[in-house]
Amino acid sequence: MLNSKKFILYILGGVFIILSIYSYIVLEHKILYMGGEYPMWRHVQNTINNNNNNAILIGDSRAKAGFIPNKFNTDTINSVNLALGGITPIEGYYILKNYLSNNNTPKYLLMSFAPSHIYEQDTYWERTVRFGFLEDNDYSDIYNTSLILNDKTTLANKMNEPSLILGVENKHLDYKIFTQQYLTELKNGILYQRWCTNNQILKYLNTSRGHYYFGKRLGSSRLNTETKHTFFKPSKLINYYLEKTIELANKNSIKVFWYTMPFNKSSFNTVSTTFKKGYNQYIENLVDKHKITALNTLSYLGDAKFSDPSHLYMGIDEATEDIKIKFHSKL
Amino acid sequence: MLFNSYEFIFVFLPITFFIYFYLNHKRLTEASKGFLVCSSLFFYSWWNVAYLPIILSSMVFNYIIGRSFNKTCKDKGKGFSKKSILIFGIVFNLSLLGYFKYTDFLIENFNLSFSSDAELLHLALPLAISFFTFQQIAYLVDSYRQETKEYDFLNYALFVTFFPQLIAGPIVHHKEMMPQFANTRNKVKNYRNIAMGLFIFSIGLFKKVVIADTFAVWATNGFDVATTLSFFAAWATSLSYTFQLYFDFSGYTDMAIGLALLFNIRLPVNFNSPYKATNIQDFWRRWHMTLSRFMRDYVYIPLGGNRKGGFRAYNNLMATFVLGGLWHGAAWTFVFWGFLHGLALIVQKFWSKLGFKLWTWLAWLITFNFVNITWVFFRAKEWDDAVKILGSMFSLSNISLPGFLEKNFLFLSQYGVNFNSWLGQTPEGRLTFIWIIAGFALIIFSKNSIQKLHTFQPGIINIAFTSFILAIGLLSITKKSEFLYFNF
């Protein structure tokens, strides 16, 4: 038996070691336990660190589901889908920036964000920060930019609680310090052996060059999130990063294309005319200001082509073909 | 401040611990006591500083009343009699408790009885008022009986406010606490006690944040969210609450006992594997033991106990349990819960008199199920909630079985049995089932924390065990999760 003093010290030491091992695993090996979204983020991280394509697509989940690089590619076009579920042009800017730092400069940049991801972010904290997708100074830059732009709402959305200890400007560090917030995910990871499924998803993404399905249901007539808004009003912060992305592309002589993934017919018929006009006008302004090429305006496909109100399933080939035709016509 | 919060574990507790023993080390014993009282009041005020004047005035009042008994002894024949002072003291305490806890209940019932429309006061219940009121009533009665006395206000304040037991007990007696605070050997750090304290605190933290809070999700879903429940989902709901309540409250008590041990204070045992009980009397000897002790000593026995035998004893028993139910909350569901337990005890006494005996496992099954079913009334916010749960628990018209049984038991479908989601309305159905099985294994086969404490040895196994559960407990503190008994 030990004496009590040693017992106490060993317990404190034991707790410290367990917490350290735990923190190391949850922060450094997310692929082992995170849910199904994570492998896509890891795939994009891997791709932007070591890949060479002459066409890249940056966008959100609608683009992730709706654009199949293997069907888009030709003898001269070698593309990869770097879209991610829930992201906005904020993350899009850093994807392009990091891609350029680690790869040959591509010739073409295809951008495709849903209107909803231009007026608000909804997964910046839950995914971008929680998945550790960016560097600490990137988060600080984004926060400082929001201050400069006097945009108090974009980052505040779905930010559970401001960090009490570190202040809102360092909220992203909460995810490194208070690692207990990954515990439930870790438990689920162990319970459902997610390391297997995550590796399978990663393998699939490597084969599909970044394309992934967001559901495979045969049709949806439910309404998408844009139908809840009467007006299209872009977020200052997101718009800033969208323009910054285009400027970065222009600076590197990358030709930029914009494609808006179609709505399902039910949503398109429901969303207000004011909203549609506002969005199309916004894209037109981008075209005029930055000399980008818009491949379409807000459009729709039949409900049967969608797996849910936002994501294509049966209509994926059609959408990819549409992009391909329009893209080549504008080259 | 919650025991299961980072601010408590990493800030309040270490600061209080080290300063308390530093002051004692410097032989500033009065200052150390004063510091502990101030820390405890700070701990109490963390929730809502508005409650501070209530506990302070209650403390001053009871201290004065307690002292006046000694004066009355000396000045026999002058002024008020001891008994009238005691009655005055008890009435004051019960009035304070009654005003905050039962006013709206009385108004509601008045409105219902006389079809009136008197407005409710919607008073917030000051934290821990039920506990510190009972503790001080016990002190007054003990002082009246000359079983204890207190001349020093600081000591008295320490007895009432000592933070490990302030919010939800155990309900302690003045005479069992003050000698410990006075003992000079308790004023120096005792590593054996710290080790044991850390050990049992870790168990309590684990019980609360890992086990109870997991069951809480399913219990809340069944009671408060789901509109209808299938047969198995209703049982899963009631069992989840049964386990939640036990692991929550006994977890709190373990933490309180562990924290007190850090300060070399031994709090009384409050739980002794209650769900192992084989009859209802046995259950009450194991569940919330300090409340049972209080109810026996200060309600049941003063009412006459079993001294007058027969019918009167049963009446006293029933009155004690109905009051016990009412103490837990101002609602008829609590009263009914107390009534059912009182009734069960009476039935059990008849049964014993007749000399019948049951197999132990059957006695356990009946007792456990009785407790489980009656907790439904204890938990339900409204009668309708209780009816919803119990109706589904005893209705054979809404049974779903696991899909894999469909092949062999398909014929049951003609009787309305379906084979889809058998714990349908319970989130994470299969997981709930596994946790319930684990809950049973723990309450039946495992030693309880106090038994573990008695056989505690600072060895490698306990290091590994404590480190692991403490680490998991710390990681599981993800949200503010109050203890259930804070509401009572």
Side-chain angles (χ1 to χ4, degrees), chain A residues 1-5 7-8 10-12 14-15 18-19 22 179-181 183 191, chain B residues 6 191-192 194-195 431 456-459 462-463 466-468 470-471 475-476 478:
Chain A
M1 286 299 127
L2 299 164
N3 70 41
S4 298
K5 203 171 180 176
F7 177 84
I8 296 161
Y10 285 156
I11 283 181
L12 298 179
V15 169
I18 292 170
L19 294 183
Y22 162 84
T179 53
Q180 73 274 21
Q181 56 195 301
L183 184 66
L191 193 67
Chain B
Y6 293 123
Y191 287 106
R192 167 96 186 152
I194 297 170
L431 203 58
F456 171 80
Q457 291 294 340
N462 274 336
I463 288 174
T466 312
S467 303
F468 180 74
L470 183 56
L475 286 171
S476 301
T478 48

Side-chain angles (χ1 to χ4, degrees), chain B residues 332-345:
Chain B
W332 287 110
T333 46
F334 284 110
V335 175
F336 189 62
W337 168 80
F339 167 79
L340 287 175
H341 274 265
L343 193 65
L345 263 169

Side-chain angles (χ1 to χ4, degrees), chain A residues 50-157:
Chain A
N50 181 24
N51 202 273
N52 279 300
N53 294 277
N54 60 5
I56 60 172
L57 176 133
I58 294 173
D60 53 20
S61 59
R62 295 186 194 181
K64 190 81 174 166
F67 178 79
I68 303 176
N70 288 332
K71 296 203 169 163
F72 182 80
N73 290 352
T74 60
D75 293 343
T76 52
I77 302 293
N78 178 27
S79 70
V80 64
N81 186 335
L82 298 179
L84 284 170
I87 68 166
T88 67
I90 300 173
E91 294 87 347
Y93 168 74
Y94 287 98
I95 290 173
L96 179 63
K97 188 181 160 207
N98 293 335
Y99 188 91
L100 292 176
S101 326
N102 296 303
N103 300 283
N104 293 334
T105 306
K107 277 187 177 175
Y108 312 108
L109 169 65
L110 196 55
M111 295 181 78
S112 177
F113 287 95
S116 59
H117 285 137
I118 292 170
Y119 59 72
E120 71 178 1
Q121 68 73 22
D122 52 4
T123 57
Y124 178 76
W125 298 106
E126 189 195 325
R127 293 184 192 163
T128 311
V129 181
R130 197 153 162 266
F131 290 168
F133 188 66
L134 304 179
E135 300 294 326
D136 287 344
N137 51 355
D138 296 337
Y139 300 120
S140 301
D141 286 347
I142 294 166
Y143 176 74
N144 290 331
T145 306
S146 75
L147 289 184
I148 293 165
L149 296 172
N150 197 22
D151 182 340
K152 292 175 183 164
T153 53
T154 304
L155 290 184
N157 191 33

Side-chain angles (χ1 to χ4, degrees), chain B residues 300-411:
Chain B
Y300 179 67
I301 292 175
L303 282 174
N306 59 5
R307 291 192 299 277
K308 294 182 181 165
F311 184 70
R312 182 70 191 270
Y314 296 140
N315 257 346
N316 294 338
L317 204 57
M318 184 57 87
T320 306
F321 271 88
V322 167
L323 284 173
L326 199 58
W327 175 84
H328 281 91
W332 287 110
T333 46
F334 284 110
V335 175
F336 189 62
W337 168 80
F339 167 79
L340 287 175
H341 274 265
L343 193 65
L345 263 169
I346 292 167
V347 169
Q348 188 206 320
K349 284 192 182 294
F350 269 120
W351 183 269
S352 307
K353 271 187 183 170
L354 294 171
F356 293 137
K357 285 210 165 176
L358 286 175
W359 293 309
T360 308
W361 68 268
L362 185 59
W364 172 82
L365 192 69
I366 292 170
T367 307
F368 180 82
N369 274 295
F370 173 79
V371 170
N372 178 47
I373 289 163
T374 51
W375 282 142
V376 172
F377 292 100
F378 190 86
R379 169 62 174 79
K381 286 178 183 158
E382 307 285 342
W383 283 104
D384 288 350
D385 296 335
V387 169
K388 174 184 77 180
I389 304 284
L390 291 170
S392 302
M393 283 168 76
F394 294 101
S395 162
L396 298 177
S397 63
N398 196 12
I399 296 180
S400 294
L401 292 174
F404 69 88
L405 295 176
E406 190 168 5
K407 272 186 187 169
N408 301 324
F409 295 94
L410 189 61
F411 66 94

